[in-house]
Amino acid sequence: MNKYAVWGNPIAQSKSPEIQQHFAQQQNITLDYQRMLGDEVRFEQQLAQFFASGGQGCNITAPFKERAFRLADLHSERCLMAEACNTLKKLPDGRLYADNTDGAGLVTDLQRLGWLQPQQRILILGAGGATKGVLLPLLQAQQQITLANRTLAKAQQLADKFQSYGSIRAVELDHIPVKPFDVIINATSLGLQGKVVEIKSKIMQKCGLAYDMQYAKGSDTPFIAWAKQCGTAQTTDGIGMLIGQAAHAFEVWFGVMPEVSTLLKNLNL
Ligand code: ATR
């Protein structure tokens, strides 16, 4: 039996088991995929035990992505740049391989939506872990990125770190250029508090596409609600990114990229 899991704390809310089971059925693979509650102190021992007892791979979610990154033996380039891991795989020689499929999941979703053209101007709000996880795949997709963050120094650090991969610059939230952006992506954690990052509404009004990396079942996230109020023509939350990152993790484990559109239509996530 293929033994896989998702580790996090909390973990009960995770949609990963449903998503991965859907992909496994689609590919005729029998999969044992469990939710695992990580312990703040013993997480590394728990993971070692999981792999020692037959675990072949797992997803990692908050708050363990950085710890999983540190305990792996090998890393993909996108994982090294993200300094965080959402996918682990046990290699045949026993070493642990770490990847980060969040950015690929976002890029796949933007492609699915028809929102990805080369050399677009993308505004990303926020410069925390969520942003760092998606920058390399976005730059590799030739996006021109403006990073706006409350703490300018954090955005500037990321812009410096990633500047050899493409066009990226940092600005303060109240110094965002008014020249129109093709897509605005919310990567702040503010939606969790029911809030929206404060930028001038005319920046939003001049942009036709708004994407929230967070998602909310059955209602608009605060950012999406605000974008709609500003008259943004098309909006979407991050459910497609969630499914996309899961699909890329499945590909890391089983070598085949599952089809995502049926899941988006049929699964009640
Ligand atoms: P995550 O892993 O979800 O990205 P994080 O690393 O803590 O979480 O980053 C949270 C992001 O939301 C940061 O960009 C943060 O801005 P700062 O770097 O200035 O802290 C942003 N954020 C959180 N609360 C905010 C607020 N009240 N106003 C503006 N930005 C906020």
Side-chain angles (χ1 to χ4, degrees):
M1 177 66 106
N2 291 299
K3 184 174 169 177
Y4 289 80
V6 56
W7 288 87
N9 189 343
I11 198 61
Q13 80 294 346
S14 173
K15 315 284 186 207
S16 294
E18 285 93 336
I19 297 172
Q20 295 296 348
Q21 284 302 348
H22 177 93
F23 292 154
Q25 278 164 24
Q26 194 192 93
Q27 301 298 326
N28 287 318
I29 289 170
T30 311
L31 182 67
D32 171 14
Y33 187 105
Q34 304 295 330
R35 289 182 184 84
M36 305 292 272
L37 183 67
D39 180 84
E40 212 178 297
V41 178
R42 297 187 53 254
F43 172 67
E44 285 75 10
Q45 289 101 298
Q46 288 178 312
L47 261 198
Q49 208 173 356
F50 170 74
F51 283 108
S53 64
Q56 288 146 287
C58 61
N59 287 124
I60 306 288
T61 188
F64 298 118
K65 288 183 175 184
E66 286 79 14
R67 284 167 72 172
F69 172 80
R70 286 195 294 272
L71 64 77
D73 304 300
L74 281 175
H75 303 80
S76 66
E77 185 183 18
R78 61 193 182 189
C79 187
L80 278 176
M81 290 306 286
E83 298 175 287
C85 156
N86 77 336
T87 304
L88 282 172
K89 177 182 181 169
K90 189 172 179 179
L91 299 176
D93 64 8
R95 288 184 300 170
L96 273 189
Y97 170 72
D99 203 346
N100 188 318
T101 65
D102 288 334
L106 174 61
V107 168
T108 297
D109 201 36
L110 293 173
Q111 275 162 344
R112 177 187 68 84
L113 292 159
W115 289 17
L116 200 73
Q117 317 300 330
Q119 310 303 340
Q120 287 187 134
R121 286 166 47 83
I122 293 205
L123 174 64
I124 300 181
L125 304 173
T131 299
K132 195 159 53 166
V134 301
L135 286 178
L136 182 58
L138 283 174
L139 288 168
Q140 286 171 333
Q142 299 172 54
Q143 302 304 292
Q144 298 177 6
I145 296 175
T146 300
L147 278 184
N149 198 42
R150 176 180 58 179
T151 314
L152 176 64
K154 271 173 72 181
Q156 191 58 56
Q157 253 176 19
L158 287 188
D160 293 346
K161 180 178 165 82
F162 284 87
Q163 53 99 18
S164 63
Y165 290 93
S167 166
I168 181 165
R169 64 171 172 161
V171 296
E172 279 174 272
L173 282 177
D174 49 6
H175 286 97
I176 299 172
V178 179
K179 197 172 158 204
F181 290 94
D182 297 297
V183 187
I184 299 182
I185 298 177
N186 177 43
T188 69
S189 53
L190 270 170
L192 299 172
Q193 305 154 39
K195 294 184 191 159
V196 175
V197 64
E198 280 174 34
I199 61 168
K200 292 186 190 111
S201 54
K202 71 176 169 205
I203 293 163
M204 202 60 140
Q205 281 154 5
K206 288 187 176 198
C207 176
L209 307 173
Y211 193 105
D212 195 348
M213 282 170 55
Q214 293 183 342
Y215 63 91
K217 189 178 173 177
S219 64
D220 286 336
T221 63
F223 177 73
I224 294 298
W226 181 60
K228 284 182 178 172
Q229 260 176 39
C230 293
T232 307
Q234 292 183 63
T235 59
T236 188
D237 72 11
I239 191 70
M241 176 180 169
L242 177 78
I243 292 173
Q245 62 78 32
H248 285 278
F250 189 93
E251 186 184 27
V252 169
W253 299 325
F254 298 108
V256 53
M257 181 69 181
E259 206 271 312
V260 297
S261 56
T262 50
L263 183 56
L264 266 163
K265 273 189 226 123
N266 300 332
L267 253 199
N268 186 24
L269 290 172

